Amino acid sequence: MNLGDKKPEKKPLYVYYIIAIVVIFLLNFLVVPMVQEGSIITTDYSTFLNNVDRGNVTDVTVDGDYIYYVAKKDGKQVECRTVAMDDPNLVERLRQAGVNMQEAEPARQSLFLSIILSYVIPIAIFIFLGRWLSKKMMNSMGGDGPGGMMSFGKSNAKVYVKSTSGIKFSDVAGEDEAKELLTEIVDYLHNPHKYAEIGASMPKGALLVGPPGTGKTLLAKAVAGEAEVPFFSISGSEFVEMFVGMGAAKVRDLFKQANEKAPCIVFIDEIDTIGKKRDGGGFSGNDEREQTLNQLLTEMDGFDGSKGVVILAATNRPDSLDPALLRPGRFDRRIPVELPDLQGREEILKVHAKKIKIADSVRFDEIAKAAAGASGAELANIVNEAALRAVRDGRKFATQADFEESIEVVIAGYQKKNRVLSNKEKLIVAYHEIGHALVAAKQTDSAPVHKITIIPRTSGALGYTMQVDEKEHFLMSKEELENKIATFTGGRAAEELIFHTITTGASNDIEQATKIARAMISRYGMSDEFDMVAMENVTNPYLGGESSLACSFETQTVLDKKVVDLVSRQHQKALKILQDNIGKLHELAKYLYEHETITGEEFMKILEAPMPELQQNL
């Protein structure tokens, strides 16, 4: 979330009333007296007596601690004030000077100005605050336009009329299966009579499911772009309101607008916000979210699909959706939008690379191999990072090295140049990473080493070993998984073998090895004792997967023991591989210590070269 975009919290209404009262108080007790006293000249007592003796004073009024008098100055009468003194002769002195002490009183501020300052201005402030608060409340409850309070329940859906965004299927790469399924919807919107002749009806809704960043929203916009029909886009969270019934009203308004602009496409992003399973946990089934869901179910049953209104929705949590939402007649089709394969990643990279300048020598197939498991959004980020790196280096185009470095940035973060390791720590990290690479290289069915580095990254990694498969793998055998566990334990094994101690650098390796070992036994049925019995359930697979054990406590104890045994066996295997290749371990670690980075070609060249004399004092 961008902190810079965070909206300020709304203040309660009483805060503004308190502010208004304070303003009125200040006006009446500070400003008004200042204005009233501003026209009165303050003098000392001796000046007052001199004016009396000279006959310049005509009227005098004693008011508490002050004496107000009217004096003649330059042919004009001015109002003055002085401090009252304990002067018993003052009255006789004033009488002798002929000063009027009875009826005359210094003129005070005019009544008109007093009324304005005391009443008109405070009332005007109250009216202004009231109108402003009323407008803010209407805007927050859907009254953005002239409708005011009558605009409750507006859907506020963004409307893109006839693909003003310009997105077509050609702008979406790597999802050929999804595009093929959606092409039929486009054809129906173009030629509905072709389907009506045979009596076929188009599915009312299609649900796009897949991990984040795979292009579900982009595909929905591309469908509207290809069909050249209006496109309504709204997020599921926009239906959730504080006031009961507002979400249902927004659903009704959305379908009303869609029917008026048919044929069109309605896209509801993150539909799991309002489409979660009803479990009876609300207030007798009448909470706001359930009312919104019930209204959505009713509207999908009620609208006429022959008009050409197609409902598209996207989610990365399909398991949490209510079964009534997924039954035939509502969301008839479930279109998977999975992570792209090798060819798909290459096509996505080419689409995004059209936006930047690149060198002719860039090989997208190699970049796609190194970016295994990346989503479309991550691939777009890789291309952008490559362009940014080229600018930082003062070049006009991105090269192959820029793309390779951008992959590492997305995986492990930027290079942490201000972190300097001590010579001992740097040596330990060098042996640790070579331990991973050497164990991987000496095992069959293991991905080739692509790069080894001991340059710290902003993700916290002090170094890493990158392996890249030559081909795409969709299945993994038991032997391949065991080899991966052994590779993860290779770093710790190298530390034990060379330094006879262990460090905290293997924490992530331990976590990954344990995760694979537990999945082999509890989910993949790769244990003789448990055979093909699932001991673990996984939910939300598109969001990383949340696992929960489905077995007794006694079975969990046995399962934990088998996980420990499996990881321990592979740890011992890694130790034996490193012991058998101790010379190459020293040679490669020395090279990595000196150069900080080794490519896969350099690594294999040193590994396959004849063994030099063992350097004792490394």
Side-chain angles (χ1 to χ4, degrees):
M1 179 179 176
N2 189 350
L3 295 177
D5 296 336
K6 185 178 180 181
K7 295 182 179 179
E9 296 182 358
K10 295 181 179 179
K11 296 181 177 61
L13 191 61
Y14 68 84
V15 174
Y16 297 102
Y17 284 109
I18 293 174
I19 294 174
I21 293 172
V22 172
V23 170
I24 294 173
F25 176 83
L26 294 175
L27 284 172
N28 282 281
F29 290 91
L30 296 178
V31 178
V32 172
M34 289 174 61
V35 173
Q36 289 177 342
E37 300 294 341
S39 60
I40 299 176
I41 301 173
T42 301
T43 65
D44 54 29
Y45 193 74
S46 59
T47 303
F48 164 63
L49 294 178
N50 291 333
N51 284 323
V52 171
D53 294 340
R54 293 172 184 172
N56 293 334
V57 178
T58 60
D59 301 281
V60 170
T61 300
V62 178
D63 185 5
D65 296 334
Y66 293 96
I67 298 175
Y68 294 91
Y69 64 95
V70 178
K72 300 175 183 178
K73 184 178 181 181
D74 299 330
K76 297 180 180 179
Q77 290 187 339
V78 295
E79 297 177 6
C80 301
R81 182 182 72 173
T82 186
V83 179
M85 303 290 287
D86 187 13
D87 187 355
N89 300 321
L90 178 61
V91 175
E92 183 63 27
R93 198 168 187 172
L94 293 173
R95 185 181 293 119
Q96 291 178 359
V99 178
N100 187 353
M101 295 180 291
Q102 299 296 328
E103 298 178 359
E105 186 175 347
R108 302 298 178 93
Q109 186 65 43
S110 67
L111 179 64
F112 177 73
L113 185 58
S114 298
I115 292 174
I116 290 177
L117 293 175
S118 301
Y119 297 99
V120 176
I121 292 179
I123 292 173
I125 292 174
F126 267 113
I127 293 174
F128 171 77
L129 284 174
R131 291 177 62 87
W132 181 75
L133 289 173
S134 177
K135 183 177 179 181
K136 292 287 286 185
M137 290 177 64
M138 286 190 292
N139 288 344
S140 66
M141 292 186 289
D144 292 331
M149 298 295 288
M150 299 303 294
S151 60
F152 280 144
K154 294 295 183 182
S155 67
N156 297 328
K158 300 180 181 67
V159 184
Y160 304 91
V161 180
K162 293 191 177 181
S163 186
T164 55
S165 58
I167 297 176
K168 304 284 187 178
F169 277 152
S170 58
D171 299 315
V172 184
E175 298 294 343
D176 295 335
E177 295 82 3
K179 287 195 290 186
E180 184 177 347
L181 293 171
L182 292 171
T183 300
E184 191 175 21
I185 295 177
V186 175
D187 186 50
Y188 172 77
L189 293 172
H190 277 153
N191 306 300
H193 62 277
K194 182 171 64 174
Y195 296 86
E197 287 178 355
I198 198 173
S201 59
M202 195 62 194
K204 290 185 178 180
L207 184 66
L208 303 171
V209 298
T214 49
K216 299 183 289 295
T217 304
L218 197 64
L219 274 171
K221 289 184 178 181
V223 173
E226 293 287 341
E228 296 184 345
V229 296
F231 178 72
F232 291 83
S233 177
I234 189 170
S235 173
S237 61
E238 295 184 45
F239 290 107
V240 181
E241 290 283 351
M242 178 179 68
F243 300 99
V244 177
M246 293 299 297
K250 286 191 173 187
V251 172
R252 289 192 293 270
D253 182 70
L254 176 63
F255 278 84
K256 179 183 177 182
Q257 292 183 58
N259 280 316
E260 291 173 353
K261 292 186 179 294
C264 65
I265 291 175
V266 177
F267 177 62
I268 305 175
D269 200 5
E270 305 296 345
I271 194 173
D272 52 273
T273 307
I274 59 171
K276 290 181 181 178
K277 295 177 182 177
R278 292 166 289 183
D279 54 4
F283 298 100
S284 302
N286 291 323
D287 67 313
E288 172 66 6
R289 185 185 61 79
E290 288 196 10
Q291 286 194 24
T292 305
L293 174 59
N294 291 334
Q295 187 65 46
L296 178 61
L297 298 175
T298 303
E299 292 293 336
M300 291 195 71
D301 279 340
F303 81 89
D304 186 5
S306 62
K307 290 184 178 180
V309 179
V310 177
I311 311 299
L312 296 180
T315 181
N316 41 42
R317 297 199 298 173
D319 298 340
S320 67
L321 295 180
D322 194 277
L325 198 63
L326 303 177
R327 74 159 175 81
R330 287 173 181 150
F331 283 104
D332 305 81
R333 287 190 176 180
R334 179 166 169 167
I335 301 175
V337 186
E338 303 287 351
L339 292 172
D341 56 13
L342 179 61
Q343 183 180 355
R345 292 195 298 274
E346 186 175 347
E347 292 174 356
I348 293 173
L349 287 168
K350 290 179 179 178
V351 168
H352 291 293
K354 293 177 182 178
K355 303 174 185 177
I356 67 171
K357 296 179 180 179
I358 61 173
D360 296 334
S361 59
V362 172
R363 294 192 56 185
F364 290 107
D365 56 338
E366 296 294 333
I367 302 168
K369 288 179 183 177
S375 65
E378 289 172 330
L379 293 170
N381 192 25
I382 287 172
V383 174
N384 187 59
E385 286 290 342
L388 293 176
R389 186 176 186 269
V391 173
R392 284 194 297 267
D393 291 346
R395 282 179 274 102
K396 299 293 185 181
F397 51 85
T399 63
Q400 184 79 12
D402 293 326
F403 281 96
E404 291 179 354
E405 175 63 23
S406 65
I407 294 174
E408 297 178 41
V409 167
V410 173
I411 295 174
Y414 291 93
Q415 294 183 7
K416 200 169 182 66
K417 298 179 181 180
N418 60 345
R419 176 174 292 175
V420 180
L421 299 177
S422 66
N423 292 334
K424 182 179 179 181
E425 288 179 331
K426 186 177 178 182
L427 190 62
I428 292 174
V429 175
Y431 271 101
H432 183 104
E433 298 304 331
I434 292 298
H436 286 307
L438 196 55
V439 172
K442 288 297 181 180
Q443 294 182 116
T444 57
D445 300 324
S446 186
V449 175
H450 180 72
K451 185 177 183 179
I452 313 167
T453 180
I454 56 172
I455 299 175
R457 294 275 172 170
T458 53
S459 63
L462 300 179
Y464 63 89
T465 301
M466 182 187 293
Q467 294 177 261
V468 177
D469 279 305
E470 293 295 333
K471 297 180 180 179
E472 197 83 344
H473 282 279
F474 300 99
L475 293 174
M476 294 195 72
S477 65
K478 180 179 179 181
E479 291 73 19
E480 288 175 326
L481 291 172
E482 289 178 344
N483 288 347
K484 287 180 72 70
I485 296 174
T487 301
F488 280 123
T489 63
R492 169 63 64 83
E495 293 179 17
E496 294 174 309
L497 185 62
I498 303 302
F499 301 99
H500 307 292
T501 186
I502 55 178
T503 68
T504 59
S507 59
N508 183 257
D509 302 331
I510 295 170
E511 182 181 346
Q512 296 298 325
T514 305
K515 185 177 179 181
I516 294 174
R518 182 174 292 277
M520 288 175 64
I521 297 170
S522 62
R523 291 170 53 197
Y524 303 147
M526 295 181 178
S527 169
D528 295 334
E529 185 169 346
F530 295 130
D531 198 29
M532 294 180 62
V533 177
M535 300 294 173
E536 193 175 56
N537 296 327
V538 178
T539 57
N540 294 331
Y542 294 128
L543 295 176
E546 300 174 3
S547 59
S548 58
L549 291 174
C551 56
S552 65
F553 290 111
E554 294 79 5
T555 305
Q556 289 182 29
T557 303
V558 177
L559 192 152
D560 291 339
K561 185 177 183 302
K562 296 188 76 65
V563 170
V564 173
D565 291 341
L566 175 56
V567 175
S568 180
R569 286 199 307 271
Q570 301 310 312
H571 184 196
Q572 294 302 316
K573 183 171 77 172
L575 275 170
K576 187 176 187 309
I577 292 174
L578 295 178
Q579 286 173 342
D580 294 342
N581 298 273
I582 188 70
K584 288 296 181 182
L585 177 61
H586 285 302
E587 184 181 359
L588 287 164
K590 180 177 183 297
Y591 187 89
L592 179 59
Y593 178 83
E594 294 173 350
H595 295 81
E596 294 187 339
T597 299
I598 300 179
T599 64
E601 292 80 3
E602 292 173 333
F603 173 78
M604 292 306 299
K605 183 178 180 181
I606 297 173
L607 183 62
E608 295 172 355
M611 184 63 200
E613 294 182 5
L614 183 62
Q615 299 182 15
Q616 298 295 335
N617 299 320
L618 183 63

